Amino acid sequence: MMDHATSVPVCVFLLLLPSSLVALDNRDFKHDFEYHHEGSGERFRVKGHGRLADIVIVDDIPQITKILCEGNVVLIATTDVTISATWRPSQVIVGGPDWGCSSEVDGRVQHGLYRKIKSVNQGKRTVEIMTENAGLYDSFETAQLHVHHTPGNWSSREERENDIKSRQKREASTDSDVGSRLWPLLLSYGDESLFTIPFNYDTSKDKEVLQFSVSSQGVEIKAGGFTAGFAPQHDAKKTWELGCTSCYAFFRAGFTMELNIGPDNTRFLLQLSGEFKFNTDVGLSWSRERNLGNKTFTLAKKELKIPSIPILYFPNPLVPTMELGIDLLAELLVQVGAKVEGKMLATAGFDYNKKLTVTFKKENNGPFTMFTGLTDEPWTGHTPTFSMQAKFSANAALVPKITLTPTISFGWKVRFVGSNLYLFSLNFGAPVAFSLNAGITFEVAYDSAQRTFCLDLYHQGDIAIEANKVTSDIVVFGETVASSNILKYKKKLSISLWPRTSFTCTALVKCCVVACVGLPKLPQLSMDQTVGAMKKKFTRADVNFQSLKQMKGTDVLFVAEEKTASYCGVPSRKCKDCTRGVIGWTTDDKCADRMMTGDLLEKLEVLSKFVRITWPKRKLRVEEAWDEPTSAYPNGRHGASSVHYEGRAADLTVTSEMTADQLKNTPKDAPASDKSSAIMVRLAQLARCSDLPFVGQKSDYVEVAVKKSATSPVKRTRFDRQIKRATDIQLGYCVSISKLQLGKSNPSTGTPEFVCGEINDRITRYDPQAFLRLYQYPFNDVEFENKRRNDAWCGATSRECIDCRTKIQGESAYDRCADRMMTPRLAYRMRRLGSLVTQKWVDRKLKVIGAWDEPTSSSTNQWGSYGAQSLHYEGRAAQVSLTGSSPNSLMGDLSQLAVCAGFDYVRYTTNNYIDVFVQQESHTKGIVVPFLKANLLAVDPPPHSINYGYPENLRTELFKTLLFDGSHRSQLKLSDNFVLGEFKHPEARYLRLDDKLVACLQNIRTALGKSLKIVKGSAYRPRSENIVDIDERHPEEIDRFQSGQAAEIQMATGTSGPKEITNLGQEAMKQCASMLSVTRRGLGIGIHADRLYIDIRPNTIAEQALYIRVWDTVNSSTNASVMNDLLVTKDQLERGGPEINPVDPEAACEEPVLGKENYHINIPMPNARSDCASETSSDFCKQTQTYRETVLERIKKHFQKKTGDKVVRSSTFVSALTTCLKDACGHCLGSGPTWEKKVKSCVKMLNYHRTSGAWNNITEKMSFFNLDSPKSSVRALACKDYVCLEKTDLYGLFARILSEKYRPAKNSSVEELVYGPGDNPLPIMDLAEQTFAISASGIARVFIEKDSDVSALWKVLKILFVYNKEIADVEFHLTADVNKNKLVETIQRKSEVWAGTGCPKWSRAAITPFKMVEISKGRLKRALPEHESIPRSFQHHLHQWELDWIHKT
């Protein structure tokens, strides 16, 4: 039995075949077929023997009338139960699908009966069989099958075909049935295409079928091919392009299949093996900076089918032939990706063969296992070229993918009715896809120490396997890996590489070129105009001569002093030969051409490195530097005046190519110069890249010069003031700080690198951009050990070491002393520590053993005397001790003072010294940015990196975010609910972050009361990550990720659909806009399908306090509603008054008495009275029952007349109307169940009327005035040009209802109101007025006749100002009797109260804006007399019913 959980897929199907029934009597089978053609090497063999199992075929038993299958039970109805007498456990029972049964066969349910018998029970007319699942193997008692095919060499195709025909004819009389079918099959196998799986490959021409390019514009097939290969070039229309002139692959496949079935063991094996051949020649171009994640393009697909092979032929005709089939799908994919910081062009290629084997294996009930083998065959790299203007990493790969589906078809022939035959067949297969990814990877990095771009070129790829049914482990080269495994490989290529010049770098694993990007033009000014004219000729006797430096070593070659001259300098001094190096340090021994200023020496040292990188077999040669009189040139070689005489200029060439021995051992005579034009042009370029201020290209040499060396320290005005005040620290501050014990540190946990941040890049003397950030400690309150002052060289073999124990020796890079170099942050704390030391010990000083470090002749490694990643190389670490005798016992005290001085990390390392470390800091600024829960220290971007630069489009903004070091600080809490790691990109060390963004997100989180998450990687993005797919982003969402002012947010749990996105956007506006307005900044909001984009931006509208920008990135119908809701909120906040932000949200958002849908209604609901506690039928209610019924019917007819049958047929409306006017009768106002029922039903009736559309045409024309004023002078103004409530049919209808009367006594003329305030108060008019207010839209006009009207209208005003979201403005129209200023103050005061008590769930975002309009006397006079729609006598009663009721009760 096969394990169903891990078995291969099996299909069961039936085919109707016309034939005659044959009894199953012979179950044995055996055959052996083999073909081997020596000429081609082809081998083919089919071998098998075994015995079929004993099968019960129910279709062939006529006594069976019906079969019922239920689970594992098969119930058979039969006319003769004795047919089951020979049935026994372990037999397989087989039947066609017409019986209505289904069976699970090796994990798949199929129609038909195929089960294994467990037990048989006979009844009178039925046979009950208990069964279990049966698998393919259960059809055999034993079986051993072997099939193998190895394709041969197709060059001998004709010979092979003749051989097969001859053998077929010769063996026809003895051949088995299997053989009779295999000979014709072998002939068809002579077609090479059957076993050559092509990927853009033409077998007849042995080359590619198509040439193509893929770019930012898509795939482009070059039907006619490229005219002369693909030459990459910059195209403004294409961000990037990959062209492939010759990209193809093919796989020649053979296969082996084995199947062994025995009583105690089953084993299946299928192996596909063959040879992959690749050829790839590609060109890449990037026209601008972009980060392109790996893109995959499908170029071609082809389906292939190997003809089925008969592997078993049974002598019994009831059993069909077992066949092996293999279906293939071949796909050719191309992948391309890059991270490019500027323009780039590159070409590369390779070809190689790989032998690949994929094996599928299953034994017994074990898992289905896959094995993969890949040989390491030779490959050939094609000559690459590249040209770039910045760092880049790019890859291009050709990916052939094969999807393989092997099947074994086997089944039974059975009879169902009459002579019909069925073929019951089991298909066994394991679909699997495997791809071989082969590509080229360019990796170009900037080496700051060498100031070069260095290229690593790799041929790399992987084998990826996807098996549809393989859920167990996969074994590759004997090692177990995941079933979705990727087997990777990577090999460095030997390359010969050409950049934009003729520079060549041959047979190197890594190749570097000098970082000459954006070269300045050759100077238009003269040497003197550029660097300053000579002031005085230096002579050996002149004190100025002592300031010149003598270049040491042999990295730069010098010619011997004037060989033909009889003297040099003065007649008494013989000329010296300094070709092989310095010959002495006395004034007389110093060689003239090796003498120069420190600045010039430093620049020539850099240039010499560039020369060695550009021409590995050449060296820089100095023809002339400092110049002095000789016998040949008594006044000097350079005329009367030249900066050569001050050691500030040099004449340069490059040697001809040197042998390996000459490069190692400098010859006595310097090799001749190569003065060819190409060499001189390149040398001039390299000189400009070395930061030489003046470079002049002559015909046979290059002339360079520098300005005068700096004599005063670099000015850091702010820091200079700070460090002078550093000595103000008092020893008393340190009393509470504990001394460290030997081996301990402060902080007590973590390493210096963890606490202070790892080294970013080693700073070298020859990298001025980084080196000048360091501070040379100038004070004498600290002693410097300067133990390497006597080394043979320091920094470079050409530079002598400097003694700086007592003072600094100069400000040029050459003159600066390593031990005195440190970051300003370290220097400031060093000065504080020095002050504390002198306060504690009057006879001692702080001693610095080492600070910034560089290689010297005594260094322990190539970087210096510390580990490769030591903070010393960034000037952020120092070893310090004390002067005087026996300082070892005082190191604990010194550690206490160091902690007090403010070092970020202090370690009591040994009894001889302590180590101190500091964090990175923004140059000399020391800016600390406070966040809600932590402070962050600003840092400078790493030198030479644009990755952490500020976005170009935002550099003109006044507010700019700073850069912070996020190393090891991911869990630092910046606010109650957000940590730094949520804002830092996972691929970046540093981050920019706006503190207002953190505050904004925290406010949203607090307001929602639910967890909020920042989408991973969506907050700060360094430049390289921000440009990923930047062309596909909304224009508003391009730059602010890089400035640390944007993030994408979602709800932390559940989905973020339209409702959640709307809530997030509205809260963002409410919680952030006003906070940002204080600093004249605004908010940007982008709507996405499952997230919300938020950014902080400048307020660009001067006259607008709040600035909010909203856009939709999806533009779908779903997002349209979100956009509309957010625009409404935006408009309310920008144009309105105070934000609605309750002081007590819980109390403000309590469930409204009338339900959430009636949040705006305000109706008197006082405490219950004792006489209203129960609902009873009073005498009044009984007397007025018929009158109320009459009123109800009259109202129904009115609605039917006005609106048709739709309203009166609504059970909701009729029920509410009936309860409001008839059923809810009682004398209590504001209390008791009757009043509650009355109010709720009236509200429901009014809401139905409003939502039915009765007022749709007047919502923008609605006006309001004090209806309680019977003789209002503004009624005509409110109701003539606009629509007031009195002008509506509903008002007139309710007015007549409230005027309805009845006679308590039939014989009396006294009449009373049916809905009087004392007997049966009806709140219909109050509710109608509030419903009218919530229905208004646009501009709501409120007419005020006198100051007291505001109090009378407070319910209406609260709805218009707080709850009605459709109101744009409230416009007050005032008579001359109204105090305008007092009214404005009143409205503002009410607005502030309402803003602090309203519930944001139901309210507007902000109080509605309002304005005042004064009514002129003329306008008031011109108003027409009001229309008396209701009796004047009723007007008083209509709106004073509450007051009347109070008086009466």
Side-chain angles (χ1 to χ4, degrees), residues 108-180:
R108 296 183 63 181
V109 176
Q110 300 290 345
H111 297 297
L113 178 61
Y114 185 80
R115 308 281 296 171
K116 183 187 288 188
I117 298 175
K118 293 181 67 177
S119 64
V120 180
N121 297 309
Q122 292 183 2
K124 290 184 178 180
R125 295 184 179 180
T126 60
V127 178
E128 184 183 68
I129 307 174
M130 298 300 296
T131 66
E132 60 184 348
N133 292 339
L136 171 67
Y137 299 159
D138 293 316
S139 293
F140 299 88
E141 286 185 6
T142 62
Q144 291 188 1
L145 306 176
H146 174 86
V147 181
H148 173 79
H149 181 248
T150 301
N153 181 351
W154 274 272
S155 61
S156 55
R157 185 183 310 168
E158 184 176 350
E159 177 190 338
R160 169 189 178 276
E161 183 177 337
N162 292 333
D163 181 60
I164 291 174
K165 290 180 178 179
S166 174
R167 289 188 57 178
Q168 180 183 11
K169 185 175 181 180
R170 185 171 62 250
E171 299 177 12
S173 59
T174 59
D175 198 15
S176 66
D177 290 316
V178 172
S180 64

Side-chain angles (χ1 to χ4, degrees), residues 1134-1146:
E1134 288 183 344
R1135 300 180 62 254
E1139 294 177 27
I1140 296 178
N1141 193 6
V1143 177
D1144 186 352
E1146 186 175 350

Side-chain angles (χ1 to χ4, degrees), residues 310-434:
I311 55 177
L312 281 183
Y313 189 85
F314 303 99
N316 194 311
L318 190 61
V319 184
T321 302
M322 178 179 283
E323 295 182 341
L324 171 66
I326 301 177
D327 295 336
L328 295 163
L329 174 63
E331 299 174 86
L332 182 62
L333 314 175
V334 63
Q335 291 179 345
V336 60
K339 184 182 291 186
V340 180
E341 292 187 2
K343 291 185 177 182
M344 179 272 285
L345 301 173
T347 65
F350 63 92
D351 62 80
Y352 76 109
N353 296 341
K354 283 188 179 293
K355 292 183 178 178
L356 176 68
T357 302
V358 181
T359 305
F360 312 98
K361 180 180 177 183
K362 177 178 173 62
E363 293 194 55
N364 300 323
N365 293 325
F368 191 11
T369 309
M370 187 183 320
F371 295 83
T372 305
L374 182 69
T375 61
D376 191 9
E377 299 294 325
W379 48 267
T380 303
H382 304 171
T383 301
T385 67
F386 82 102
S387 167
M388 75 288 179
Q389 297 182 5
K391 291 188 293 184
F392 73 84
S393 174
N395 62 273
L398 196 67
V399 185
K401 181 178 180 181
I402 299 174
T403 302
L404 167 72
T405 306
T407 61
I408 298 177
S409 299
F410 168 70
W412 297 96
K413 290 182 180 178
V414 292
R415 186 182 67 182
F416 181 59
V417 178
S419 60
N420 292 331
L421 292 178
Y422 291 82
L423 177 61
F424 186 59
S425 177
L426 304 179
N427 279 353
F428 165 80
V432 63
F434 62 93

Side-chain angles (χ1 to χ4, degrees), residues 1376 1415-1423:
I1415 303 173
S1416 66
K1417 292 182 178 180
R1419 179 186 171 198
L1420 198 60
K1421 289 180 180 180
R1422 287 193 301 271

